[in-house]
């Protein structure tokens, strides 16, 4: 069974992430979307909230599971019996960082492959940070994140 892991912060999940999830789910037997627990960052949403939003937007994709992890990605892959990392690639600016991550993960476990999904043209500009910035200034979020996520963002901003 080909199990792939799509790791990230997903703070929050965007339509760009969802596009990668849908396309990767067609390629692998099982896709685990894994939210990084990173105490050194101050996210907008807790890990539990991010996991909940991901579950809401992927409930209809049978072979997708949502999980969270801390520590090294390579160790998490071992735990879930996977040797494939899925990443989305938007533009040249993503490349240097993603190249470095793919190389260090390869160094840590030569059996692991990182497979990149090029972003769909319409999501090339999209990131969780841009979504949060648009939201903070009251801009329109439709087309940027799924509707259920818009509700979570509004709720968070009201607080
Ligand atoms: O969505 P992001 O924030 O770009 O995702 C980054 C993520 C979670 C993929 C990356 O930070 C990660 O894999 N962190 C786990 C720690 C790790 O294994 N780092 C690489 C080797 S030092």
């Amino acid at each position: 069974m080909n199990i792939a892991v799509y790791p990230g912060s997903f703070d929050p999940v965007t339509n760009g992430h969802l596009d990668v999830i849908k396309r990767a789910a067609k390629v692998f037997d099982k896709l685990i979307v894994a939210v990084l627990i990173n105490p050194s960052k101050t996210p907008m949403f807790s890990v539990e909230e991010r996991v909940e939003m991901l579950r809401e937007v992927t409930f209809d994709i049978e072979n997708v599971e949502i999980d969270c992890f801390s520590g090294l990605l390579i160790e998490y892959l071992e735990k879930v019996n996977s040797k494939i990392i899925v990443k989305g690639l938007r533009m040249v600016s993503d490349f240097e960082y993603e190249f470095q991550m793919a190389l260090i993960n390869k160094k840590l476990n030569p059996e692991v492959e990182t497979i990149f999904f090029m972003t769909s043209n319409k999501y090339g500009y999209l990131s969780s940070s841009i979504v949060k910035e648009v939201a903070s200034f009251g801009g329109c979020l439709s087309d940027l994140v799924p509707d259920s996520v818009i509700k979570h963002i509004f709720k968070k901003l009201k607080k």
Side-chain angles (χ1 to χ4, degrees):
M1 195 194 212
N2 258 336
I3 303 172
V5 172
Y6 179 20
S9 303
F10 303 105
D11 184 41
V13 57
T14 67
N15 282 343
H17 294 130
L18 191 55
D19 175 59
V20 171
I21 292 171
K22 285 178 179 167
R23 288 161 56 204
K26 286 185 193 155
V27 174
F28 304 105
D29 297 320
K30 180 163 134 185
L31 179 72
I32 303 175
V33 184
V35 179
L36 175 68
I37 302 167
N38 187 353
S40 66
K41 269 193 183 175
T42 315
M44 181 177 202
F45 293 98
S46 69
V47 171
E48 293 75 19
E49 287 168 328
R50 283 178 268 160
V51 165
E52 186 190 340
M53 286 185 277
L54 278 161
R55 290 210 170 112
E56 282 171 3
V57 300
T58 58
F59 77 96
D60 57 347
I61 317 173
E62 250 177 41
N63 60 336
V64 170
E65 267 179 30
I66 313 298
D67 196 8
C68 54
F69 75 104
S70 56
L72 280 180
L73 175 60
I74 284 297
E75 285 175 7
Y76 176 73
L77 260 86
E78 225 169 277
K79 189 183 133 199
V80 297
N81 207 17
S82 169
K83 289 192 167 52
I84 306 162
I85 299 168
V86 162
K87 296 300 295 281
L89 208 49
R90 286 165 301 189
M91 15 194 130
V92 183
S93 52
D94 281 344
F95 181 78
E96 208 172 319
Y97 171 75
E98 293 299 346
F99 189 46
Q100 184 184 28
M101 292 301 269
L103 290 183
I104 184 64
N105 286 324
K106 191 83 181 157
K107 165 92 182 131
L108 293 172
N109 185 348
E111 283 188 32
V112 165
E113 295 295 343
T114 303
I115 297 182
F116 292 99
F117 283 73
M118 307 303 288
T119 185
S120 298
N121 219 3
K122 55 184 174 176
Y123 300 130
Y125 62 91
L126 196 50
S127 69
S128 297
S129 310
I130 280 292
V131 166
K132 286 182 277 192
E133 187 158 346
V134 172
S136 71
F137 293 116
C140 176
L141 295 177
S142 58
D143 293 341
L144 307 189
V145 292
D147 288 348
S148 61
V149 174
I150 295 181
K151 285 183 199 145
H152 285 277
I153 294 174
F154 279 157
K155 221 162 92 184
K156 187 64 77 177
L157 290 177
K158 266 189 201 162
K159 282 184 188 168

